[in-house]
Amino acid sequence: MKRIGVLTSGGDSPGMNAAVRAVVREAIYQELEVYGIFHGYSGLISGHIEKMELGSVGDIIHRGGTMLYSARCEEFKTLEGQKKGVEQLKKFGIEGLVVIGGDGSYRGAQKLTEHGFPTITLPGTIDNDIPGTDFTIGFDTALNTVIDAIDKIRDTATSHERTYVIEVMGRNAGDIALWSGLAGGAESILIPEEDFQMDHIVKRLTRGHDRGKKHSIIVVAEGVGSGVDIAAQVQEATGYETRVTVLGHIQRGGSPTAFDRVLASRLGAKAVRMLITGEKGKAVGIQKNELVAHKIDEVLSQRHKIDNDMYQLSKELSI
Ligand code: F6P
């Protein structure tokens, strides 16, 4: 293998830049040429592809977003779009590709694999919803952004003796809600993987209120439904003044944490080494602090699971 490409796709996540840097620098270290593909699979189809040098990825390790830009590309879901992508890769003499993104990006990478093109994926999403890895790049940073927000909201919640519903991202996964709710000392955590009963939430809130608690925090994963609706239901059922904050896209930005930078660097370098040794159709990840690789189609066939022990613990500690 002489020349590889790298692209970022889907929702951006803090640490994608560190991953791109690791791919580019490791490739050059291993005496490969490396090309950046801009705007995800859209840029692959249109041929927005440029040679990367050591300096192309200077001064980005600490930056959020992705210097390669990102996109969600409908055309790449079609056979025609995929063929155009493979043609561009051939035209540029690219022999292997590293795709950094979430499950939609993995589906695109699996299609390239089925077309016989050597592709390795890295888990880049704040949602932490990719099977076969304990952590995705960007999750830790998003979590810290949410915790910062919860701590701030708690100050004003206490001053006004209010209940707050905080809606967080995660698409269909509850990891951001669960981890931030546990770390932020939330009274209740609502995640799509577990059913909830409003009367249990109300009991928990009234118990705290009767004990003299000055505020309550309920973290709701967006996959459960609208935080605004939940807040209305809580206020109606308890009579407590309730406010809602939807954190939205601030969760996707910001300088990546040290954890995300290190994770991205380790995974990015591993992907390059795997391409060199002829591996393809694999998704790299980290499990029990060991770098691992699973077949992309196997990863896609599994359902993401939350950590049940952590969910149980969150309930015990917020009694
Ligand atoms: O997958 C990352 C994510 O931020 C999800 O948490 C969220 O549901 C979605 O992307 C939002 O997508 P968009 O930026 O396209 O609105």
Side-chain angles (χ1 to χ4, degrees), residues 11 72 125-127 169-171 222 249 252:
R72 300 192 197 278
T125 167
I126 62 166
D127 299 336
M169 278 187 167
R171 203 180 289 277
E222 64 176 350
H249 286 81
R252 287 239 297 262

Side-chain angles (χ1 to χ4, degrees), residues 12-305:
D12 63 350
S13 70
M16 276 185 164
N17 274 330
V20 171
R21 173 181 178 271
V23 170
V24 170
R25 296 255 167 110
E26 180 69 19
I28 295 172
Y29 175 77
Q30 300 283 357
E31 298 181 349
L32 300 180
E33 286 184 342
V34 55
Y35 280 68
I37 297 157
F38 289 75
H39 304 284
Y41 291 114
S42 304
L44 179 58
I45 290 172
S46 65
H48 189 165
I49 299 173
E50 286 172 26
K51 186 156 191 254
M52 309 284 279
E53 308 292 349
L54 287 175
S56 315
V57 289
D59 201 27
I60 62 165
I61 196 166
H62 61 301
R63 294 189 200 281
T66 160
M67 68 159 294
L68 292 179
Y69 302 93
S70 195
R72 300 192 197 278
C73 177
E74 286 303 312
E75 194 183 352
F76 203 71
K77 292 181 184 159
T78 67
L79 184 58
E80 206 190 326
Q82 292 153 20
K83 282 186 174 161
K84 280 189 201 164
V86 174
E87 273 163 33
Q88 291 288 6
L89 288 164
K90 284 190 184 146
K91 188 174 134 196
F92 280 84
I94 295 169
E95 298 162 296
L97 181 67
V98 179
V99 169
I100 307 165
D103 56 352
S105 314
Y106 275 43
R107 272 188 280 279
Q110 176 57 21
K111 288 294 169 199
L112 288 172
T113 303
E114 287 165 16
H115 290 298
F117 196 84
T119 307
I120 304 285
T121 57
L122 302 192
T125 167
I126 62 166
D127 299 336
N128 209 40
D129 61 348
I130 307 278
T133 187
D134 294 341
F135 296 107
T136 57
I137 299 164
F139 172 63
D140 186 62
T141 308
L143 199 55
N144 280 285
T145 301
V146 174
I147 288 161
D148 184 48
I150 292 177
D151 291 348
K152 286 175 174 153
I153 288 168
R154 183 192 283 272
D155 290 343
T156 177
T158 306
S159 306
H160 290 266
E161 302 188 41
R162 283 173 175 159
T163 297
Y164 266 85
V165 171
I166 302 173
E167 183 191 306
V168 300
M169 278 187 167
R171 203 180 289 277
N172 300 314
D175 286 51
I176 298 179
L178 177 56
W179 285 65
S180 66
L182 180 61
E187 273 63 35
S188 282
I189 302 170
L190 275 51
I191 56 175
E193 293 87 348
E194 297 284 337
D195 292 336
F196 74 93
Q197 284 174 321
M198 189 48 78
D199 57 329
H200 288 177
I201 298 174
V202 170
K203 259 192 215 141
R204 199 176 276 260
L205 293 180
T206 13
R207 214 168 37 223
H209 189 260
D210 295 346
R211 234 176 44 226
K213 264 189 130 170
K214 297 288 177 225
H215 65 261
S216 297
I217 304 275
I218 302 169
V219 178
V220 179
E222 64 176 350
V224 170
S226 156
V228 175
D229 294 344
I230 306 271
Q233 288 173 42
V234 167
Q235 179 155 311
E236 166 84 23
T238 58
Y240 305 151
E241 191 178 21
T242 306
R243 293 282 192 271
V244 57
T245 302
V246 179
L247 292 180
H249 286 81
I250 64 161
Q251 294 162 94
R252 287 239 297 262
S255 177
T257 58
F259 181 88
D260 276 329
R261 296 181 202 188
V262 171
L263 177 65
S265 302
R266 292 176 75 190
L267 296 180
K270 169 136 178 112
V272 173
R273 290 189 211 121
M274 284 173 66
L275 283 174
I276 292 170
T277 54
E279 297 207 54
K280 48 188 148 179
K282 296 269 180 77
V284 299
I286 189 163
Q287 288 176 313
K288 299 190 169 73
N289 202 28
E290 294 282 334
L291 299 186
V292 293
H294 303 286
K295 287 176 74 184
I296 301 173
D297 58 353
E298 280 169 13
V299 167
L300 286 170
S301 69
Q302 286 166 38
R303 272 192 70 196
H304 166 69
K305 295 193 193 93

